[in-house]
Amino acid sequence: MTINSVRIYEPSTHTSGRSSPKPPGKVWQASEPPFKGYQSAPTEGYQHSSSSTAIVIDNGSSLVRAGWSFDKTPRISIPSIVARYRDRKLNRTCMFVGYDAYADATTRGQIRNAFEVGSSIVANWDVMEGILDYAFLKLGLNAEAGGINRPIVMTEAAANLQYSRRMMTELLFECYNAPSVAYGVDALFSFKYNKGSSGLVVSSSHSSTHLIPVLKSKPMMSSISRLNWGGHHSAEYLHKLLKLKYPTFPGKLTDVQAEEMVREHCHVSQNFDKEMRTYLDWTGLEDRDHLIQYPFTEHITVEKSEEELARIAERKKESGRRLQEQAAKMRLDKLVKKEQEVEYFKDLQERLQSQTKKEIKRLLDEDEFKDEAALDKTIKELEKSIRKARNKDVGGLENPEEEEVTTFPLLDVPDEELDEAGLKQKRHQRLMKSNVEARARAKIEKEQEKARIAEEQRLDTERRENDREGWLNDRRAARQALLQKIKEKDRLKADLGNRKSIASQIRMKTLANLASDAPGRKRRRGGDDDNFGQNDDDWGVYRTVQTGEQSEDEEEEDLSVSLKNIEAQLLEHDPTFTENNTLEAQSDWTKSFVHAFLRGPRPFDPESQKEAYQLHLNVERIRVPEVFFQPAIAGLDQAGLVEIAADIINQRLTPAQDRDAVLKDVFLTGGSTLFTGFQQRFERDLRMFLPEEVVLRTRRAKDPLLDAWRGAAMWAKESGCKSASVTREEYLEKGGEYLKEHEYGNSVASS
């Protein structure tokens, strides 16, 4: 048999179900690092552009998208990450931007993000500069020309920090010599591209979720609200849930994989509480449970052919026959040797009859016998061994051994009449008599125990026939008591593994007390008498140290055997007690809630490497998106998305006509709004906070991911963009904090 170690990526089709084989379920493979290889730098865009053509950059905390204002889609879309490391062979520093940072393990270990974790604030400006260098290079701009010489239109988050905008302005003007820069809110650009005028913009991005009321294309910046939860937090929350669910998972769950799981497997529940109560029910669990398979190493056993197995079996039989023949020959040789020894010892016994005491002692010493009794005992043992061997190997008839009556004649002789050897022999006979009497008492006690058990069984049968219901109640009570003992034993066993549990603390206290009877008093040499063990109860401490505080009866009895006997009686005589009521049936994995949560609707083999490298997504699929509506689930001290929207509409939009205008166009944009059921759940829950006669319409952006860039590109071609841009001359005159307000940007007051 040959065992090979193979790295496996494809799942096998072997599954077994609750009572019959199930078809193989769908398996999702864990994603690899998103390295896309070398990307060529197209230059035709720059050739078709002019000095008035703007470069549009959607500066998101997840992805940075860049392109020309005349493009329909961005030419560049990369993560906002950079990896730098020093190549000692080439003696140069290498920089990998975007997806290139996932090239290998070395670059992945050096990844740095431009944004502060979980926010839309740029925290690492060196990384941000590297990303802009990469973007301008891929757009065909020549760095040797002294600058980009094209206007910049860049998106930013609602209520962006003034410091962050000032640093970005300085970078674009000082480092890249941009002729002008304009900023706008990404959610408002998406609203513009989808032809919105008045409405409530709900933008759920990677770092946060903003709600912006808009009236007649004018954003009400003073009424903006933010929920500190976005795509990054959802992935981080799923990551934590899976770590708690599989604390010993051998694979490595990365942030990129967690983000993909959130995108591909999560959806918004329309009735979260009700669905959570029934999510792990057996019915339909195969569809609700999604299995993620990680790469694993499996040992493949190469099976032998039937001919090889037959040859191996024949060789084993032949070896067994040879061993049996050798063993029979050895037993026969031993039998002959024992017969010769018996003949010699019997001859010796006859010769001793006519010898003096001195000669008898000399002959016995030569054969290493203490006295004649030892010689007689040896002869009897050899004869008994010969009879057994002859019956087994030679096939002789077994003669029933007559019970020997052992006598102790020296016990009746006074000590004064015995010499030293006689006294020694008398003490030996007294000890032998004690042993014989003990065996006799044990035999009597055994007979009495058999009689007692037979009598108990007779009384039990008689009671079952006369009072069947009372007998069944006693059996049920005994079964419950055994179940409680088993449960308590398992609990104590589990507690001993936890050093903070009461059982573990008692155990450690006992160990400390074993070292000293008075732990608080310092011992003096020779001044502390150790009398441990004089009392039989002292030895019970070791039972406490090993398995916790249990009585001797609990320690000695086999709980499982007793439970099976009682359950067998109930199965035979109690019509209400079925196989499903037994402990073995109740311990079945098909009825285990924890098994359904951890391993789904199929059995789990702990020896299988394939199954050890599997993750099961079930309740997490609805629990993670539910945080948008119930942030308290993840420990976030904020109101839910619907409550925030209701507060804006009912408390901040006081004129009824403004409220009605906003409610007619509730606009959803951003990656997190792509969850299945997000729009329906938001609309249904928001309707509960509104008067019945109010019209509520919700819609989602055509492309929640790209419409912000497309809206910025559309605005860049309008005349309003030029008037809202900050030129280089204005920057040099008024500084980096200078900002021109417009209908799609932040206001100075909100910064």
Side-chain angles (χ1 to χ4, degrees), residues 63 65 78 80 140 150 184 207 361 364 375 457 492 498 561 571 579 651 678 703:
L63 294 174
R65 301 179 177 91
I78 59 173
S80 55
R150 295 291 186 274
S207 58
K361 181 172 176 53
L364 291 176
L375 175 62
Q457 290 178 351
L492 287 174
N498 181 10
V561 174
L571 286 172
E579 287 287 350
Q651 303 297 329
F678 187 95
D703 190 340

PDB file of all heavy atoms in Angstrom, residues 63 65 78 80 140 150 184 207 361 364 375 457 492 498 561 571 579 651 678 703:
ATOM      1  N   LEU A  63     -11.459  50.837  -3.818  1.00  0.00           N
ATOM      2  CA  LEU A  63     -10.891  50.849  -5.162  1.00  0.00           C
ATOM      3  C   LEU A  63     -10.725  52.279  -5.629  1.00  0.00           C
ATOM      4  O   LEU A  63     -11.576  53.142  -5.358  1.00  0.00           O
ATOM      5  CB  LEU A  63     -11.789  50.086  -6.145  1.00  0.00           C
ATOM      6  CG  LEU A  63     -11.943  48.576  -5.936  1.00  0.00           C
ATOM      7  CD1 LEU A  63     -12.971  48.018  -6.906  1.00  0.00           C
ATOM      8  CD2 LEU A  63     -10.618  47.864  -6.118  1.00  0.00           C
ATOM      9  N   ARG A  65     -10.535  54.428  -9.029  1.00  0.00           N
ATOM     10  CA  ARG A  65     -10.870  54.325 -10.446  1.00  0.00           C
ATOM     11  C   ARG A  65     -10.470  55.628 -11.130  1.00  0.00           C
ATOM     12  O   ARG A  65     -10.745  56.716 -10.611  1.00  0.00           O
ATOM     13  CB  ARG A  65     -12.359  54.054 -10.643  1.00  0.00           C
ATOM     14  CG  ARG A  65     -12.830  52.773  -9.970  1.00  0.00           C
ATOM     15  CD  ARG A  65     -14.327  52.563 -10.168  1.00  0.00           C
ATOM     16  NE  ARG A  65     -14.770  51.302  -9.596  1.00  0.00           N
ATOM     17  CZ  ARG A  65     -15.216  51.142  -8.361  1.00  0.00           C
ATOM     18  NH1 ARG A  65     -15.268  52.192  -7.553  1.00  0.00           N
ATOM     19  NH2 ARG A  65     -15.602  49.966  -7.933  1.00  0.00           N
ATOM     20  N   ILE A  78      -8.156  49.871  -9.386  1.00  0.00           N
ATOM     21  CA  ILE A  78      -7.181  49.133  -8.582  1.00  0.00           C
ATOM     22  C   ILE A  78      -7.453  49.363  -7.100  1.00  0.00           C
ATOM     23  O   ILE A  78      -8.014  50.393  -6.706  1.00  0.00           O
ATOM     24  CB  ILE A  78      -5.732  49.562  -8.909  1.00  0.00           C
ATOM     25  CG1 ILE A  78      -5.559  51.069  -8.650  1.00  0.00           C
ATOM     26  CG2 ILE A  78      -5.367  49.199 -10.333  1.00  0.00           C
ATOM     27  CD1 ILE A  78      -4.130  51.555  -8.786  1.00  0.00           C
ATOM     28  N   SER A  80      -6.571  50.433  -3.326  1.00  0.00           N
ATOM     29  CA  SER A  80      -5.754  51.561  -2.847  1.00  0.00           C
ATOM     30  C   SER A  80      -4.643  51.048  -1.932  1.00  0.00           C
ATOM     31  O   SER A  80      -4.544  51.431  -0.766  1.00  0.00           O
ATOM     32  CB  SER A  80      -6.629  52.567  -2.107  1.00  0.00           C
ATOM     33  OG  SER A  80      -7.334  51.920  -1.062  1.00  0.00           O
ATOM     34  N   GLY A 140      -1.200  57.162 -19.701  1.00  0.00           N
ATOM     35  CA  GLY A 140      -0.356  57.617 -20.808  1.00  0.00           C
ATOM     36  C   GLY A 140       0.323  58.944 -20.580  1.00  0.00           C
ATOM     37  O   GLY A 140       0.911  59.507 -21.521  1.00  0.00           O
ATOM     38  N   ARG A 150      -3.265  68.411 -17.152  1.00  0.00           N
ATOM     39  CA  ARG A 150      -4.678  68.132 -17.383  1.00  0.00           C
ATOM     40  C   ARG A 150      -5.439  68.448 -16.102  1.00  0.00           C
ATOM     41  O   ARG A 150      -4.961  68.178 -14.994  1.00  0.00           O
ATOM     42  CB  ARG A 150      -4.919  66.656 -17.752  1.00  0.00           C
ATOM     43  CG  ARG A 150      -4.307  66.207 -19.076  1.00  0.00           C
ATOM     44  CD  ARG A 150      -5.014  66.866 -20.257  1.00  0.00           C
ATOM     45  NE  ARG A 150      -4.532  66.344 -21.532  1.00  0.00           N
ATOM     46  CZ  ARG A 150      -3.469  66.800 -22.184  1.00  0.00           C
ATOM     47  NH1 ARG A 150      -2.749  67.794 -21.649  1.00  0.00           N
ATOM     48  NH2 ARG A 150      -3.115  66.293 -23.356  1.00  0.00           N
ATOM     49  N   GLY A 184     -15.892  66.619  -5.635  1.00  0.00           N
ATOM     50  CA  GLY A 184     -17.333  66.405  -5.536  1.00  0.00           C
ATOM     51  C   GLY A 184     -17.626  65.145  -4.740  1.00  0.00           C
ATOM     52  O   GLY A 184     -16.795  64.234  -4.652  1.00  0.00           O
ATOM     53  N   SER A 207     -16.436  52.164   3.529  1.00  0.00           N
ATOM     54  CA  SER A 207     -16.043  52.615   4.860  1.00  0.00           C
ATOM     55  C   SER A 207     -17.199  53.100   5.716  1.00  0.00           C
ATOM     56  O   SER A 207     -17.088  53.103   6.942  1.00  0.00           O
ATOM     57  CB  SER A 207     -15.002  53.737   4.745  1.00  0.00           C
ATOM     58  OG  SER A 207     -15.528  54.820   3.994  1.00  0.00           O
ATOM     59  N   LYS A 361      17.723 -33.064  54.078  1.00  0.00           N
ATOM     60  CA  LYS A 361      17.973 -31.631  53.864  1.00  0.00           C
ATOM     61  C   LYS A 361      18.984 -31.416  52.755  1.00  0.00           C
ATOM     62  O   LYS A 361      18.845 -30.508  51.924  1.00  0.00           O
ATOM     63  CB  LYS A 361      18.454 -30.994  55.165  1.00  0.00           C
ATOM     64  CG  LYS A 361      18.718 -29.499  55.061  1.00  0.00           C
ATOM     65  CD  LYS A 361      19.001 -28.909  56.404  1.00  0.00           C
ATOM     66  CE  LYS A 361      19.360 -27.433  56.300  1.00  0.00           C
ATOM     67  NZ  LYS A 361      18.389 -26.637  55.566  1.00  0.00           N
ATOM     68  N   LEU A 364      17.276 -32.130  49.373  1.00  0.00           N
ATOM     69  CA  LEU A 364      16.341 -31.048  49.011  1.00  0.00           C
ATOM     70  C   LEU A 364      17.089 -29.779  48.605  1.00  0.00           C
ATOM     71  O   LEU A 364      16.672 -29.053  47.688  1.00  0.00           O
ATOM     72  CB  LEU A 364      15.392 -30.758  50.178  1.00  0.00           C
ATOM     73  CG  LEU A 364      14.369 -31.855  50.498  1.00  0.00           C
ATOM     74  CD1 LEU A 364      13.568 -31.486  51.743  1.00  0.00           C
ATOM     75  CD2 LEU A 364      13.421 -32.073  49.321  1.00  0.00           C
ATOM     76  N   LEU A 375       8.329 -29.753  47.823  1.00  0.00           N
ATOM     77  CA  LEU A 375       8.489 -30.785  46.797  1.00  0.00           C
ATOM     78  C   LEU A 375       7.140 -31.365  46.400  1.00  0.00           C
ATOM     79  O   LEU A 375       6.841 -31.538  45.205  1.00  0.00           O
ATOM     80  CB  LEU A 375       9.423 -31.880  47.319  1.00  0.00           C
ATOM     81  CG  LEU A 375       9.608 -33.114  46.408  1.00  0.00           C
ATOM     82  CD1 LEU A 375      10.221 -32.709  45.075  1.00  0.00           C
ATOM     83  CD2 LEU A 375      10.479 -34.163  47.101  1.00  0.00           C
ATOM     84  N   GLN A 457     -34.186 -10.035  40.597  1.00  0.00           N
ATOM     85  CA  GLN A 457     -34.819 -10.189  39.293  1.00  0.00           C
ATOM     86  C   GLN A 457     -36.212 -10.797  39.427  1.00  0.00           C
ATOM     87  O   GLN A 457     -37.146 -10.402  38.714  1.00  0.00           O
ATOM     88  CB  GLN A 457     -33.939 -11.069  38.401  1.00  0.00           C
ATOM     89  CG  GLN A 457     -32.642 -10.404  37.971  1.00  0.00           C
ATOM     90  CD  GLN A 457     -31.777 -11.321  37.126  1.00  0.00           C
ATOM     91  OE1 GLN A 457     -32.065 -12.510  36.992  1.00  0.00           O
ATOM     92  NE2 GLN A 457     -30.693 -10.758  36.583  1.00  0.00           N
ATOM     93  N   LEU A 492     -17.962  18.163  34.567  1.00  0.00           N
ATOM     94  CA  LEU A 492     -16.749  18.238  35.374  1.00  0.00           C
ATOM     95  C   LEU A 492     -15.504  18.003  34.535  1.00  0.00           C
ATOM     96  O   LEU A 492     -14.470  18.652  34.729  1.00  0.00           O
ATOM     97  CB  LEU A 492     -16.818  17.203  36.502  1.00  0.00           C
ATOM     98  CG  LEU A 492     -17.793  17.510  37.649  1.00  0.00           C
ATOM     99  CD1 LEU A 492     -17.858  16.337  38.598  1.00  0.00           C
ATOM    100  CD2 LEU A 492     -17.377  18.775  38.385  1.00  0.00           C
ATOM    101  N   ASN A 498     -10.648  23.912  31.971  1.00  0.00           N
ATOM    102  CA  ASN A 498     -10.663  25.366  32.106  1.00  0.00           C
ATOM    103  C   ASN A 498     -10.073  25.723  33.462  1.00  0.00           C
ATOM    104  O   ASN A 498     -10.641  25.404  34.506  1.00  0.00           O
ATOM    105  CB  ASN A 498     -12.099  25.877  31.978  1.00  0.00           C
ATOM    106  CG  ASN A 498     -12.180  27.399  32.099  1.00  0.00           C
ATOM    107  OD1 ASN A 498     -11.157  28.092  32.090  1.00  0.00           O
ATOM    108  ND2 ASN A 498     -13.388  27.910  32.220  1.00  0.00           N
ATOM    109  N   VAL A 561     -23.243   1.369  30.556  1.00  0.00           N
ATOM    110  CA  VAL A 561     -23.813   0.017  30.537  1.00  0.00           C
ATOM    111  C   VAL A 561     -25.124  -0.022  31.304  1.00  0.00           C
ATOM    112  O   VAL A 561     -26.119  -0.615  30.859  1.00  0.00           O
ATOM    113  CB  VAL A 561     -22.806  -0.995  31.107  1.00  0.00           C
ATOM    114  CG1 VAL A 561     -23.443  -2.363  31.235  1.00  0.00           C
ATOM    115  CG2 VAL A 561     -21.575  -1.059  30.227  1.00  0.00           C
ATOM    116  N   LEU A 571     -37.505  -0.213  26.263  1.00  0.00           N
ATOM    117  CA  LEU A 571     -37.871  -0.526  24.885  1.00  0.00           C
ATOM    118  C   LEU A 571     -38.740  -1.780  24.806  1.00  0.00           C
ATOM    119  O   LEU A 571     -39.618  -1.885  23.931  1.00  0.00           O
ATOM    120  CB  LEU A 571     -36.600  -0.723  24.038  1.00  0.00           C
ATOM    121  CG  LEU A 571     -35.808   0.538  23.679  1.00  0.00           C
ATOM    122  CD1 LEU A 571     -34.491   0.164  23.014  1.00  0.00           C
ATOM    123  CD2 LEU A 571     -36.616   1.443  22.763  1.00  0.00           C
ATOM    124  N   GLU A 579     -36.897   3.915  19.933  1.00  0.00           N
ATOM    125  CA  GLU A 579     -35.463   4.049  19.649  1.00  0.00           C
ATOM    126  C   GLU A 579     -35.033   5.507  19.601  1.00  0.00           C
ATOM    127  O   GLU A 579     -33.900   5.847  19.942  1.00  0.00           O
ATOM    128  CB  GLU A 579     -35.137   3.365  18.325  1.00  0.00           C
ATOM    129  CG  GLU A 579     -35.171   1.851  18.382  1.00  0.00           C
ATOM    130  CD  GLU A 579     -33.982   1.265  19.125  1.00  0.00           C
ATOM    131  OE1 GLU A 579     -33.040   2.020  19.421  1.00  0.00           O
ATOM    132  OE2 GLU A 579     -34.011   0.062  19.429  1.00  0.00           O
ATOM    133  N   GLN A 651     -38.078  64.593  11.050  1.00  0.00           N
ATOM    134  CA  GLN A 651     -37.643  65.630  11.974  1.00  0.00           C
ATOM    135  C   GLN A 651     -36.957  66.807  11.285  1.00  0.00           C
ATOM    136  O   GLN A 651     -37.028  67.942  11.773  1.00  0.00           O
ATOM    137  CB  GLN A 651     -36.699  65.032  13.024  1.00  0.00           C
ATOM    138  CG  GLN A 651     -37.296  63.884  13.826  1.00  0.00           C
ATOM    139  CD  GLN A 651     -38.482  64.308  14.657  1.00  0.00           C
ATOM    140  OE1 GLN A 651     -38.562  65.452  15.122  1.00  0.00           O
ATOM    141  NE2 GLN A 651     -39.438  63.400  14.849  1.00  0.00           N
ATOM    142  N   PHE A 678     -31.900  44.041  -0.222  1.00  0.00           N
ATOM    143  CA  PHE A 678     -31.605  45.281   0.504  1.00  0.00           C
ATOM    144  C   PHE A 678     -32.675  46.336   0.218  1.00  0.00           C
ATOM    145  O   PHE A 678     -33.208  46.973   1.142  1.00  0.00           O
ATOM    146  CB  PHE A 678     -30.220  45.796   0.106  1.00  0.00           C
ATOM    147  CG  PHE A 678     -29.744  46.975   0.910  1.00  0.00           C
ATOM    148  CD1 PHE A 678     -28.937  46.797   2.019  1.00  0.00           C
ATOM    149  CD2 PHE A 678     -30.116  48.272   0.569  1.00  0.00           C
ATOM    150  CE1 PHE A 678     -28.487  47.878   2.766  1.00  0.00           C
ATOM    151  CE2 PHE A 678     -29.680  49.361   1.302  1.00  0.00           C
ATOM    152  CZ  PHE A 678     -28.864  49.167   2.412  1.00  0.00           C
ATOM    153  N   ASP A 703     -25.651  51.174 -11.901  1.00  0.00           N
ATOM    154  CA  ASP A 703     -24.429  50.479 -11.507  1.00  0.00           C
ATOM    155  C   ASP A 703     -23.923  51.132 -10.227  1.00  0.00           C
ATOM    156  O   ASP A 703     -23.233  52.155 -10.281  1.00  0.00           O
ATOM    157  CB  ASP A 703     -23.376  50.558 -12.607  1.00  0.00           C
ATOM    158  CG  ASP A 703     -22.180  49.641 -12.334  1.00  0.00           C
ATOM    159  OD1 ASP A 703     -21.980  49.262 -11.170  1.00  0.00           O
ATOM    160  OD2 ASP A 703     -21.457  49.304 -13.287  1.00  0.00           O
TER     161      ASP A 703
END
